[in-house]
Structures are given as C-alpha cells and as structure tokens.
C-alpha cells in the first residue's frame, strides 16, 4: 500500500488525548496500510492547531525539501522551523497516533480535542480553541448581519 487515503477529510469529530499523548484518528480518515505508512503532524502557530498531512503530501514535502541547498539560508531556516514543529506519526492497530510533548504543548491540547477536516489535510485542536473559534465566527456573522439589516 502507498498510504493512499480514499476520500477527503471533511467534518468535525470529537476525540480524546490520553495520558500517553495518543489520539484516535476518525475511522473515515485513516490510511491504508496501518503502521506501514507515516504522515506528518505539524504545529501551525497561526492556526494554534496541529495540521496533519497525509502520506502523499509528506512525500511531496520531502521531495521539495531535498531541492533546498545550503546556499539558500532563508529556505534552510524555514525548513528548520517547520521540521522542529513537526513529528512523523503512524496509526497503530487501534487507529491512534502518538504526538510528542512539544506539539501537544504548543497547540495547548487538553484531554478533549477536535479533529477538523480541511479536505486534503486535517487539524487537531483543543476543544476550547474550537469553542472560541465558533464564538468569533458567530460574533462576526452577527456584526455583518446587523450591518446589512440595522433595523432588526
């Protein structure tokens, strides 16, 4: 198996982070091959979440990284920043991945986590983060709504 994923990463799923920093990937999002394939979990500071790249994208990232040379220090620094906030992971037989302490701490994950689909990738974030995100979405929607219909 080449680790191909059938379908897209869609929807929002709730999950738990256990004491060993393991999370169970939603069944529909798991990869063929189980532990034979790895994917990349990267903390993304602007999102405050862990972005998970499937094996096919990990291969593309690896191919692009191999084109960077030491004569380009800006690209080398960017790669170093990305790599230091990333971890290669694979699903165990129960569909769990194990995150390291660094990405868990950076994403401020608690026991309750949310898996948020992004079509070609997915995010793992704190349940508290998603609640704040929804709050701001609703707030911005209401501001927009009342700007269009001020007399309601």
């Amino acid at each position: 198996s080449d680790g191909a994923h059938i379908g897209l990463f869609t929807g929002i799923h709730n999950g738990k982070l256990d004491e060993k920093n393991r999370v169970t990937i939603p069944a529909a999002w798991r990869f063929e091959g189980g532990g034979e394939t790895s994917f990349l979990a990267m903390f993304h500071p602007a999102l405050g979440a862990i972005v998970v790249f499937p094996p096919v994208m990990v291969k593309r990232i690896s191919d692009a990284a191999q084109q960077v040379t030491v004569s380009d220090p800006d690209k080398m620094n960017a790669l170093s920043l990305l790599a230091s906030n990333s971890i290669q992971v694979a699903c165990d037989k129960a569909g769990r991945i194990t995150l390291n302490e660094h990405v868990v701490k950076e994403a401020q994950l608690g026991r309750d986590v949310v898996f948020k689909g992004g079509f070609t990738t997915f995010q793992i974030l704190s349940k508290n983060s998603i609640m704040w995100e929804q709050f701001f979405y609703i707030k911005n929607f209401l501001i927009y709504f009342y700007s269009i219909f001020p007399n309601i």
Side-chain angles (χ1 to χ4, degrees), residues 88-128:
Q88 270 191 282
V89 293
C91 282
D92 64 14
K93 291 181 196 263
R96 298 172 302 195
I97 59 170
T98 303
L99 302 170
N100 67 17
E101 194 61 40
H102 175 72
V103 296
V104 168
K105 180 181 171 194
E106 291 297 317
Q108 298 178 2
L109 296 183
R111 178 156 167 71
D112 295 314
V113 298
V114 174
F115 297 90
K116 185 176 165 187
F119 292 117
T120 58
T121 63
F122 64 90
Q123 298 174 20
I124 304 170
L125 58 161
S126 167
K127 179 88 167 184
N128 294 336

Side-chain angles (χ1 to χ4, degrees), residues 14-34:
N14 294 307
K16 300 279 185 199
L17 178 74
D18 73 12
E19 64 282 347
K20 294 181 180 178
N21 288 341
R22 295 178 301 193
V23 293
T24 302
I25 302 298
W29 293 1
R30 294 184 197 153
F31 304 91
E32 294 176 6

Side-chain angles (χ1 to χ4, degrees), residues 28-47:
W29 293 1
R30 294 184 197 153
F31 304 91
E32 294 176 6
E36 299 169 13
T37 57
S38 64
F39 46 109
L40 192 66
M42 178 189 77
F43 172 69
H44 192 302
L47 299 173

Side-chain angles (χ1 to χ4, degrees), residues 2-150:
D2 64 358
H5 175 257
I6 307 304
L8 299 172
F9 302 110
T10 58
I12 294 177
H13 306 270
N14 294 307
K16 300 279 185 199
L17 178 74
D18 73 12
E19 64 282 347
K20 294 181 180 178
N21 288 341
R22 295 178 301 193
V23 293
T24 302
I25 302 298
W29 293 1
R30 294 184 197 153
F31 304 91
E32 294 176 6
E36 299 169 13
T37 57
S38 64
F39 46 109
L40 192 66
M42 178 189 77
F43 172 69
H44 192 302
L47 299 173
I50 297 167
V51 178
V52 181
F53 296 92
V56 68
M57 289 184 75
V58 172
K59 170 100 172 78
R60 289 179 22 208
I61 291 167
S62 175
D63 291 346
Q66 290 178 29
Q67 303 304 312
V68 176
T69 63
V70 245
S71 62
D72 192 339
D74 290 337
K75 287 184 181 175
M76 291 291 291
N77 284 337
L79 282 178
S80 178
L81 179 63
L82 290 172
S84 64
N85 282 308
S86 301
I87 179 174
Q88 270 191 282
V89 293
C91 282
D92 64 14
K93 291 181 196 263
R96 298 172 302 195
I97 59 170
T98 303
L99 302 170
N100 67 17
E101 194 61 40
H102 175 72
V103 296
V104 168
K105 180 181 171 194
E106 291 297 317
Q108 298 178 2
L109 296 183
R111 178 156 167 71
D112 295 314
V113 298
V114 174
F115 297 90
K116 185 176 165 187
F119 292 117
T120 58
T121 63
F122 64 90
Q123 298 174 20
I124 304 170
L125 58 161
S126 167
K127 179 88 167 184
N128 294 336
S129 296
I130 198 90
M131 288 168 43
W132 278 110
E133 185 178 297
Q134 289 171 345
F135 167 77
F136 286 114
Y137 173 80
I138 292 167
K139 177 185 165 206
N140 289 337
F141 172 78
L142 290 173
I143 290 170
Y144 176 71
F145 180 82
Y146 286 115
S147 72
I148 295 172
F149 304 105

